[in-house]
Amino acid sequence: MNFINTIFLQPLRADAGEFAFRQWVTLLAHEASHIEQRFWVDSVAQEIRAYQTQCRVAQELEIDLGTLRETFASLDPDAPQDQQTAQRVLTSLFFGTPAAIVYAALPLAQPRGVRAIVPACREILAVARASRVRSRA
């Protein structure tokens, strides 16, 4: 959920190389995109836009994000079939991780106003479930 408009990133290891730093910068771009979008509740459409931003930054930094680039570069965030494709790819790419639980709970299109209440509750529950999975690992 984006209501706190804050980015939390795990710091790079002290011995991280140039490639790891560049990947970290692309992740920062992805998260900054969410803040710029200014929505309180995440959606798959919003994730498509954030991943496209991440891929553009990766291209500028001359690194290849592989499947992320191949999948998200050509998707239309407003097209329902592309939203379904993105959700399917995200849950499979992150299968077995807390992120997959959260991605699976996101609405496809961006909810606004009072229509965001139910998706917000689903996302909060998914984050809670994901935190329990992570704590067991």
Side-chain angles (χ1 to χ4, degrees):
M1 296 189 69
N2 300 325
F3 63 88
I4 59 174
N5 264 353
T6 303
I7 297 172
F8 297 99
L9 288 178
Q10 183 172 347
L12 282 173
R13 294 171 30 156
D15 62 345
E18 181 69 20
F19 184 76
F21 175 74
R22 290 178 185 204
Q23 282 183 312
W24 188 83
V25 170
T26 70
L27 184 57
L28 180 60
H30 174 109
E31 297 304 332
S33 174
H34 285 302
I35 287 179
E36 186 177 77
Q37 292 164 357
R38 305 199 63 79
F39 293 114
W40 284 28
V41 177
D42 291 321
S43 69
V44 174
Q46 191 181 124
E47 287 299 333
I48 293 170
R49 288 181 176 92
Y51 277 108
Q52 287 174 340
T53 298
Q54 184 175 358
C55 291
R56 280 192 301 276
V57 170
Q59 183 177 5
E60 290 179 24
L61 295 174
E62 298 179 343
I63 63 172
D64 184 7
L65 295 181
T67 302
L68 291 178
R69 179 188 43 79
E70 293 164 10
T71 300
F72 291 96
S74 63
L75 294 181
D76 177 354
D78 299 315
Q81 68 275 14
D82 286 354
Q83 294 165 355
Q84 291 170 347
T85 297
Q87 190 172 48
R88 193 170 44 254
V89 168
L90 289 170
T91 54
S92 68
L93 276 176
F94 295 99
F95 181 77
T97 70
I101 295 169
V102 176
Y103 283 136
L106 296 181
L108 296 177
Q110 185 60 50
R112 291 180 171 86
V114 295
R115 290 181 291 157
I117 293 171
V118 171
C121 292
R122 286 186 68 205
E123 189 172 345
I124 289 169
L125 290 172
V127 169
R129 281 193 317 272
S131 70
R132 286 194 307 268
V133 167
R134 185 161 184 88
S135 65
R136 284 189 228 141

Short mmCIF file of all heavy atoms in Angstrom, two decimals, residues 26 32 34 46 60 62 89 97:
data_model
loop_
_atom_site.label_atom_id
_atom_site.label_comp_id
_atom_site.label_asym_id
_atom_site.label_seq_id
_atom_site.Cartn_x
_atom_site.Cartn_y
_atom_site.Cartn_z
N THR A 26 17.64 0.51 -10.29
CA THR A 26 16.40 0.24 -11.05
C THR A 26 15.25 -0.06 -10.11
O THR A 26 14.12 0.33 -10.37
CB THR A 26 16.56 -0.91 -12.07
OG1 THR A 26 16.68 -2.16 -11.40
CG2 THR A 26 17.71 -0.67 -13.01
N ALA A 32 9.97 4.50 -6.70
CA ALA A 32 9.70 5.93 -6.85
C ALA A 32 8.51 6.16 -7.79
O ALA A 32 7.72 7.09 -7.60
CB ALA A 32 10.94 6.66 -7.36
N HIS A 34 5.89 4.29 -7.95
CA HIS A 34 4.67 4.13 -7.14
C HIS A 34 4.34 5.41 -6.37
O HIS A 34 3.18 5.81 -6.30
CB HIS A 34 4.84 2.98 -6.14
CG HIS A 34 4.75 1.63 -6.76
ND1 HIS A 34 3.66 1.18 -7.47
CD2 HIS A 34 5.64 0.60 -6.76
CE1 HIS A 34 3.88 -0.05 -7.87
NE2 HIS A 34 5.08 -0.43 -7.47
N GLN A 46 -0.81 -0.49 -11.98
CA GLN A 46 0.24 0.34 -11.39
C GLN A 46 1.58 -0.39 -11.40
O GLN A 46 2.62 0.22 -11.65
CB GLN A 46 -0.18 0.67 -9.94
CG GLN A 46 0.64 1.71 -9.29
CD GLN A 46 0.19 1.97 -7.87
OE1 GLN A 46 1.01 1.85 -6.99
NE2 GLN A 46 -1.06 2.29 -7.62
N GLU A 60 18.92 2.50 -19.61
CA GLU A 60 19.85 3.63 -19.54
C GLU A 60 21.14 3.26 -18.83
O GLU A 60 22.21 3.77 -19.16
CB GLU A 60 19.19 4.82 -18.84
CG GLU A 60 18.09 5.47 -19.65
CD GLU A 60 17.43 6.63 -18.93
OE1 GLU A 60 18.07 7.23 -18.04
OE2 GLU A 60 16.26 6.92 -19.25
N GLU A 62 22.38 0.34 -18.96
CA GLU A 62 22.94 -0.73 -19.78
C GLU A 62 23.01 -2.07 -19.04
O GLU A 62 24.01 -2.78 -19.09
CB GLU A 62 24.32 -0.33 -20.30
CG GLU A 62 24.26 0.88 -21.20
CD GLU A 62 25.61 1.31 -21.72
OE1 GLU A 62 26.65 0.90 -21.17
OE2 GLU A 62 25.63 2.10 -22.70
N VAL A 89 2.45 -13.41 -14.69
CA VAL A 89 3.91 -13.41 -14.73
C VAL A 89 4.48 -13.08 -13.35
O VAL A 89 5.41 -13.73 -12.88
CB VAL A 89 4.44 -12.43 -15.79
CG1 VAL A 89 5.93 -12.20 -15.64
CG2 VAL A 89 4.10 -12.92 -17.19
N THR A 97 7.45 -16.81 -2.74
CA THR A 97 7.96 -15.68 -1.95
C THR A 97 6.78 -14.88 -1.42
O THR A 97 5.66 -14.97 -1.93
CB THR A 97 8.85 -14.75 -2.79
OG1 THR A 97 8.03 -14.06 -3.74
CG2 THR A 97 9.96 -15.52 -3.50
#
